[in-house]
Every structure is written in structure tokens, then in C-alpha cells.
Amino acid sequence: MEFPFDINQIFPERVSILDQSLVAGRRSAGRPDLQAHIATVIDELGRASAKAQQLTAPITSASKLQTQKHQLYLLKDGESSGGRGLIVGFLKVGYKKLFLLDRQGVHIEAEPLCVLDFYIAENLQRHGYGLELFDFMLQHKNFEPVMMAYDRPSPKFLSFLAKHYCLTQSVPQVNNFVVFEGFFLNRSAAQLRKVPPKKPDGEIKPYSLMEREAVRQEQRTRPWPFAPPHSPQRSVYSQCSQSLSMRSSPSRAPPQAVLPSSPGGSRNQNPQSPLIDRCRERRSSSLNRSQLGFH
Ligand code: ACO
């Protein structure tokens, strides 16, 4: 994604971490001109991501980032565009208070790190940039992908998670978030609070769902002809099966059904170890490919 200004001047690092302050490195601090460029980049990326996910409005923008405690990892390619650099994509994460169902269907209150938005420029997808960005975030946060929740992951993202991190077995939820087998293991009681079965009146909604609904509400309250046509909500489960059926890589394992595991079946084990080992093998071979210049 190209911009009419020098990307390398604004974003000195290959991966920049942006938050509420909209500052990327020391150079942009106290420089309203550079911060305006940063806002332009974020807004443009947010629009492109929404378009790619067929959302009616962006869920990422500079103004939203300024008001929410989220972090945005932004990847650039500094050598392209005659040395001015171009933007490859971004990944937005943040903590959300969620009401989730564990394997036994018990309501659990948790505040996991969530992937909220993720986008790689269309012409650069399937070149390993998404993996580079995601791995950077995992290292920076010192996190395992299984410990995270995923806000309405797209079929491409589900395929990405299955391929690179062997995340295929999701635990069914009643909201738009997806968590995978192993999410509820190895967490302290303080991190996961059982919600009493008798809840107060009213449906409990995760914040993100409310956020996305607010965007829809904003759209609905606009007068005709600005209001967009109503689009049906995407189903996470149909997306998941869709994603498994749309796999293209011949080296992939066959799709696995989402089946409940027996209670405590994998207790006292590192839930990820065998899977991660398999993924690492795959990933190191693809790394070798990219080192050989297959990018
Ligand atoms: N169709 C199916 N799977 C895909 C596709 C695609 N068009 N593109 C990427 N993938 C998955 C596949 O598993 C692929 O492996 P394969 O080529 O062997 O099939 C793997 O990702 C490739 O890995 P990377 O090259 O590291 O991923 P990429 O740089 O393409 O980034 C991403 C992945 C971010 C999902 C990107 O494809 C994208 O921006 N998609 C459009 C926007 C989107 O769907 N974002 C996720 C929204 S959901 C959320 O943010 C919570």
C-alpha cells in the first residue's frame, strides 16, 4: 500500500507498535504533521481491512485507536517504492472482557488478549507477511496463540491459524469470538471466573460485539441514501467449515471435526506441544523456502 509521503520517515522500524498516542518512534513525538500521516495510514488500512472482510464500516481507525486501549502492529517494506517504503499490513490486539463457554458449557468470565483486526495488502497476501507480523506480536507480548481469543475470524484467518499454529479445534461459543482447545487450560482461577448460572436479566454481550453493533447502529441511523443495505451476519461456524474446505496447500492435514474432548483428557499436558512441534516443522521448512527467495 503506497502513500504520497515517505513511509520510512514516519515508521523507522520494520514493525511499529502504535497505541492511543499515535506515535511511531521518537521522531513522530510532538510532530503533528507526522502524526497526521500516521492517522492517514491507519484510516486507509482500516478501510481496506473492512472491505476485505465485507464489513459495513471500518473497525480500525486513528480516532478509534486514540480512544481504545488497543495496540496496532504495523508492518512496512522499507525498500520498495523507490526507497520511500510501503505499508504491508497491520494487526490489532487488545484485552476484552468476555463471557465464554468452556468445554462443559459452563459460562466463564475472562479477559483474554484478543485479535481484533488483521490485514495484509491484497497483492502481498500469502507471502508470509501475516506470519511475520503475528509472530512479532506473539514475541512482543510473550503469548501463545492458543491463549488468545479471535474476534469473528474470517475464513482466510482461520486457515492461517490452522496452517501456522495448528489451531483447528474451536470450543463452541454463543458470541462472535473463537477460542481453541487449550484456551481454558493452564490459566489461574483469577484469570477465569465462573459466572453463576443465574444471571441478571438481559443478554450478556462481549464488548467487541457491542462495538461492531454500534458501527452498524451508526450506519442504520444515517438517513437514506447514506444508509447501507442490511447485510446478514456471518456465522463463525460456517466460516470455520468453509475455511477448512477452502484449504489450498497440498501439504495440509485433512480437516478435523470440532468435537468436544473428554473432560480433563489433556490435563497435565502442555496442550500445544505436539501440535506446535508439527507446526514448527512445517514452519521451518517454509522459512527455508522464504530464505531461498521464494517470497
Ligand atoms: N484463502 C485462503 N487462505 C488464505 C488466503 C486466501 N486467499 N490468504 C491467506 N490464507 C491463509 C492460508 O492458510 C495460507 O496458507 P496457504 O497459502 O498454504 O493456503 C496462509 O494464510 C498464508 O500465510 P501468510 O502468507 O503468512 O498470511 P497472509 O500474509 O496472507 O496474512 C491474512 C493472512 C491477514 C488473513 C490475510 O490473508 C488477509 O489480510 N486477509 C484479508 C483480511 C482478513 O480476512 N483478515 C482477518 C480478519 S478476522 C480478524 O482480524 C479477527
Side-chain angles (χ1 to χ4, degrees):
M1 200 175 260
E2 294 190 54
F3 289 89
F5 39 78
D6 190 340
I7 290 299
N8 288 325
Q9 194 201 357
I10 305 164
F11 303 107
E13 307 295 333
R14 183 164 169 86
V15 179
S16 301
I17 306 166
L18 296 161
D19 61 13
Q20 284 170 307
S21 62
L22 293 196
V23 169
R26 259 175 291 162
R27 211 179 292 166
S28 54
R31 287 277 307 267
D33 54 332
L34 295 186
Q35 278 174 317
H37 287 336
I38 292 173
T40 303
V41 170
I42 297 171
D43 288 347
E44 195 58 44
L45 282 168
R47 274 193 290 271
S49 178
K51 193 173 167 213
Q53 297 176 64
Q54 289 151 23
L55 301 174
T56 51
I59 49 172
T60 298
S61 67
S63 60
K64 284 188 205 293
L65 194 63
Q66 281 175 304
T67 56
Q68 294 163 334
K69 283 189 180 162
H70 298 157
Q71 276 180 316
L72 193 146
Y73 295 81
L74 193 141
L75 177 64
K76 73 163 187 182
D77 171 357
E79 275 122 56
S80 296
S81 252
R84 282 162 28 131
L86 55 75
I87 298 294
V88 174
F90 78 100
L91 170 63
K92 189 174 78 173
V93 300
Y95 286 91
K96 294 269 178 188
K97 191 175 276 189
L98 301 178
F99 293 92
L100 298 167
L101 295 173
D102 71 7
R103 260 285 166 230
Q104 285 72 42
V106 175
H107 271 102
I108 304 281
E109 189 183 332
E111 197 165 354
L113 185 65
C114 302
V115 176
L116 305 169
D117 206 356
F118 189 19
Y119 175 74
I120 297 293
E122 308 297 329
N123 58 329
L124 300 174
Q125 288 174 16
R126 283 185 146 159
H127 285 66
Y129 290 115
L131 179 63
E132 181 183 347
L133 198 47
F134 206 89
D135 270 354
F136 183 97
M137 178 276 296
L138 292 176
Q139 270 201 345
H140 179 247
K141 293 275 184 200
N142 194 20
F143 246 79
E144 290 285 338
V146 73
M147 303 303 278
M148 302 179 70
Y150 300 89
D151 187 1
R152 203 154 63 146
S154 66
K156 287 184 186 180
F157 190 29
L158 285 169
S159 171
F160 172 93
L161 291 171
K163 175 180 173 146
H164 296 306
Y165 303 107
C166 295
L167 293 178
T168 53
Q169 310 265 22
S170 61
V171 181
Q173 301 299 321
V174 290
N175 55 39
N176 283 329
F177 281 85
V178 170
V179 294
F180 291 91
E181 199 66 69
F183 176 89
F184 297 98
L185 300 173
N186 301 333
R187 283 186 193 253
S188 67
Q191 286 176 304
L192 298 176
R193 196 172 71 84
K194 281 192 184 172
V195 179
K198 217 169 186 304
K199 293 188 287 296
D201 289 340
E203 192 192 347
I204 299 171
K205 286 181 180 174
Y207 293 164
S208 167
L209 193 53
M210 295 196 303
E211 231 173 62
R212 288 187 187 224
E213 261 175 24
V215 167
R216 259 181 241 128
Q217 193 64 40
E218 256 174 44
Q219 296 285 319
R220 268 201 292 271
T221 49
R222 285 200 206 164
W224 188 90
F226 303 109
H230 179 74
S231 61
Q233 269 208 358
R234 283 186 276 151
S235 146
V236 161
Y237 303 115
S238 64
Q239 278 170 23
C240 190
S241 53
Q242 209 184 323
S243 117
L244 292 171
S245 63
M246 70 191 289
R247 295 163 159 218
S248 65
S249 168
S251 62
R252 281 219 197 84
Q256 292 172 33
V258 178
L259 292 173
S261 61
S262 59
S266 44
R267 223 172 278 151
N268 303 330
Q269 290 173 16
N270 177 349
Q272 277 291 293
S273 308
L275 293 175
I276 279 192
D277 285 349
R278 275 212 304 277
C279 282
R280 283 204 181 116
E281 272 171 35
R282 258 192 249 161
R283 283 179 47 192
S284 58
S285 67
S286 65
L287 198 67
N288 290 340
R289 265 185 29 213
S290 66
Q291 281 163 346
L292 287 168
F294 277 74
H295 264 220

